[in-house]
Coordinates of all heavy atoms in Angstrom, one line a residue:
M99 N -46.6 -46.4 -30.0 CA -47.3 -45.1 -30.0 C -48.7 -45.3 -29.4 O -49.2 -44.4 -28.7 CB -47.4 -44.5 -31.4 CG -46.1 -44.0 -31.9 SD -45.3 -42.8 -30.8 CE -46.4 -41.4 -31.1
E100 N -49.4 -46.4 -29.6 CA -50.7 -46.6 -29.0 C -50.7 -46.6 -27.5 O -51.5 -45.9 -26.8 CB -51.3 -48.0 -29.4 CG -51.6 -48.0 -30.9 CD -52.9 -47.3 -31.3 OE1 -53.8 -47.2 -30.4 OE2 -53.1 -47.0 -32.4
L101 N -49.7 -47.3 -26.9 CA -49.5 -47.3 -25.5 C -49.2 -46.0 -24.9 O -49.8 -45.5 -23.9 CB -48.5 -48.4 -25.1 CG -48.2 -48.5 -23.6 CD1 -49.4 -48.9 -22.8 CD2 -47.1 -49.5 -23.3
I102 N -48.2 -45.3 -25.5 CA -47.8 -44.0 -24.9 C -48.9 -43.0 -25.1 O -49.1 -42.2 -24.2 CB -46.4 -43.5 -25.5 CG1 -45.9 -42.5 -24.5 CG2 -46.6 -43.0 -26.8 CD1 -44.4 -42.4 -24.5
S103 N -49.6 -43.0 -26.2 CA -50.8 -42.1 -26.4 C -51.8 -42.4 -25.3 O -52.4 -41.4 -24.8 CB -51.4 -42.3 -27.8 OG -50.5 -41.9 -28.7
K104 N -52.1 -43.6 -25.0 CA -53.1 -44.0 -24.0 C -52.7 -43.4 -22.6 O -53.5 -42.9 -21.9 CB -53.3 -45.5 -24.0 CG -54.4 -45.9 -23.0 CD -54.6 -47.4 -23.0 CE -55.6 -47.8 -22.0 NZ -55.7 -49.2 -21.8
M105 N -51.4 -43.6 -22.3 CA -50.9 -43.2 -21.0 C -51.0 -41.6 -20.9 O -51.4 -41.1 -19.9 CB -49.5 -43.7 -20.8 CG -49.4 -45.2 -20.5 SD -47.8 -45.8 -19.9 CE -46.7 -45.0 -21.0
I106 N -50.6 -41.0 -22.0 CA -50.6 -39.5 -22.0 C -52.0 -39.0 -21.9 O -52.3 -38.1 -21.1 CB -49.9 -38.9 -23.2 CG1 -48.4 -39.2 -23.2 CG2 -50.2 -37.4 -23.4 CD1 -47.7 -38.9 -24.5
G107 N -52.9 -39.7 -22.6 CA -54.4 -39.3 -22.6 C -54.9 -39.4 -21.2 O -55.7 -38.6 -20.7
E108 N -54.6 -40.5 -20.5 CA -55.1 -40.7 -19.1 C -54.5 -39.6 -18.2 O -55.2 -39.0 -17.3 CB -54.7 -42.0 -18.6 CG -55.4 -43.2 -19.2 CD -54.9 -44.5 -18.7 OE1 -54.3 -44.6 -17.6 OE2 -55.1 -45.5 -19.4
L109 N -53.2 -39.3 -18.3 CA -52.6 -38.3 -17.4 C -53.0 -36.9 -17.7 O -53.2 -36.1 -16.8 CB -51.1 -38.4 -17.6 CG -50.4 -39.7 -17.0 CD1 -49.0 -39.8 -17.5 CD2 -50.6 -39.8 -15.5
I110 N -53.2 -36.5 -19.0 CA -53.6 -35.1 -19.3 C -55.0 -34.8 -18.8 O -55.3 -33.6 -18.7 CB -53.4 -34.9 -20.8 CG1 -53.1 -33.4 -21.0 CG2 -54.6 -35.3 -21.6 CD1 -51.7 -32.9 -20.7
L111 N -55.8 -35.8 -18.6 CA -57.2 -35.5 -18.1 C -57.2 -34.9 -16.7 O -58.0 -34.1 -16.4 CB -58.0 -36.8 -18.1 CG -58.5 -37.3 -19.4 CD1 -59.2 -38.7 -19.3 CD2 -59.4 -36.4 -20.2
D112 N -56.2 -35.4 -15.9 CA -56.2 -34.9 -14.5 C -55.0 -33.9 -14.2 O -55.0 -33.4 -13.1 CB -56.0 -36.1 -13.6 CG -57.2 -37.1 -13.6 OD1 -58.3 -36.6 -13.8 OD2 -57.0 -38.3 -13.5
N113 N -54.2 -33.7 -15.2 CA -53.0 -32.8 -14.9 C -52.9 -31.8 -16.1 O -53.4 -32.0 -17.2 CB -51.7 -33.7 -14.9 CG -51.8 -34.7 -13.9 OD1 -51.5 -34.4 -12.7 ND2 -52.1 -35.9 -14.2
D114 N -52.4 -30.6 -15.7 CA -52.2 -29.6 -16.7 C -51.0 -29.8 -17.7 O -50.9 -29.1 -18.7 CB -52.1 -28.2 -16.0 CG -53.4 -27.8 -15.4 OD1 -54.5 -28.2 -15.9 OD2 -53.4 -27.1 -14.4
S115 N -50.1 -30.6 -17.3 CA -49.0 -30.9 -18.2 C -48.4 -32.3 -17.9 O -48.6 -32.9 -16.8 CB -47.9 -29.9 -18.0 OG -47.3 -30.0 -16.7
V116 N -47.8 -32.9 -18.9 CA -47.2 -34.2 -18.9 C -45.8 -34.1 -19.6 O -45.7 -33.7 -20.7 CB -48.0 -35.3 -19.5 CG1 -47.3 -36.6 -19.5 CG2 -49.4 -35.4 -18.8
T117 N -44.8 -34.4 -18.8 CA -43.4 -34.4 -19.4 C -43.1 -35.6 -20.2 O -43.4 -36.7 -19.7 CB -42.4 -34.2 -18.2 OG1 -42.6 -33.0 -17.6 CG2 -41.0 -34.2 -18.8
L118 N -42.5 -35.4 -21.4 CA -42.0 -36.5 -22.2 C -40.5 -36.4 -22.0 O -39.9 -35.6 -22.7 CB -42.4 -36.3 -23.7 CG -43.9 -36.1 -23.9 CD1 -44.2 -35.9 -25.4 CD2 -44.7 -37.3 -23.5
P119 N -39.9 -37.3 -21.2 CA -38.5 -37.2 -20.9 C -37.6 -37.1 -22.1 O -37.7 -38.0 -23.0 CB -38.2 -38.4 -20.1 CG -39.6 -38.8 -19.5 CD -40.6 -38.4 -20.5
G120 N -36.8 -36.1 -22.2 CA -35.8 -36.0 -23.3 C -36.4 -35.3 -24.5 O -35.7 -35.1 -25.5
V121 N -37.7 -35.0 -24.5 CA -38.4 -34.4 -25.7 C -38.9 -33.1 -25.4 O -38.7 -32.1 -26.0 CB -39.5 -35.4 -26.2 CG1 -40.2 -34.7 -27.4 CG2 -38.9 -36.7 -26.6
G122 N -39.8 -33.0 -24.3 CA -40.4 -31.7 -24.0 C -41.6 -32.0 -23.1 O -41.6 -33.0 -22.3
C123 N -42.6 -31.1 -23.2 CA -43.7 -31.2 -22.3 C -45.0 -30.9 -23.0 O -45.1 -30.0 -23.9 CB -43.5 -30.2 -21.2 SG -44.7 -30.3 -19.8
L124 N -46.1 -31.7 -22.8 CA -47.4 -31.4 -23.4 C -48.2 -30.7 -22.3 O -48.2 -31.1 -21.1 CB -48.1 -32.7 -23.7 CG -47.5 -33.5 -24.9 CD1 -48.2 -34.9 -25.0 CD2 -47.5 -32.7 -26.2
I125 N -48.8 -29.6 -22.7 CA -49.5 -28.7 -21.8 C -50.9 -28.6 -22.2 O -51.2 -28.3 -23.4 CB -48.8 -27.3 -21.7 CG1 -47.3 -27.5 -21.3 CG2 -49.5 -26.4 -20.8 CD1 -46.5 -26.3 -21.7
A126 N -51.9 -28.8 -21.3 CA -53.3 -28.6 -21.5 C -53.7 -27.2 -21.1 O -53.6 -26.9 -19.9 CB -54.1 -29.7 -20.8
V127 N -54.2 -26.4 -22.0 CA -54.6 -25.0 -21.7 C -56.1 -25.0 -21.8 O -56.7 -25.4 -22.8 CB -53.9 -24.1 -22.7 CG1 -54.4 -22.6 -22.4 CG2 -52.4 -24.2 -22.7
R128 N -56.7 -24.4 -20.8 CA -58.2 -24.3 -20.8 C -58.6 -23.1 -21.8 O -58.1 -22.0 -21.7 CB -58.7 -23.9 -19.4 CG -58.5 -25.1 -18.4 CD -58.9 -24.7 -17.0 NE -58.4 -25.6 -16.0 CZ -58.8 -26.8 -15.7 NH1 -59.9 -27.2 -16.3 NH2 -58.2 -27.5 -14.8

């Protein structure tokens, strides 16, 4: 969980959404 959280955190800074394959999508809303 530490690694995947770190990767998602890096990606969500520059992108409005990050797909978690087979689970769903995290979306950053301003």
Side-chain angles (χ1 to χ4, degrees):
M99 288 305 288
E100 293 282 338
L101 176 61
I102 200 151
S103 293
K104 182 179 176 186
M105 291 191 312
I106 293 169
E108 288 176 23
L109 291 170
I110 207 75
L111 288 175
D112 297 325
N113 301 280
D114 290 332
S115 67
V116 175
T117 298
L118 306 178
V121 177
C123 190
L124 294 174
I125 303 163
V127 179
R128 296 178 197 277

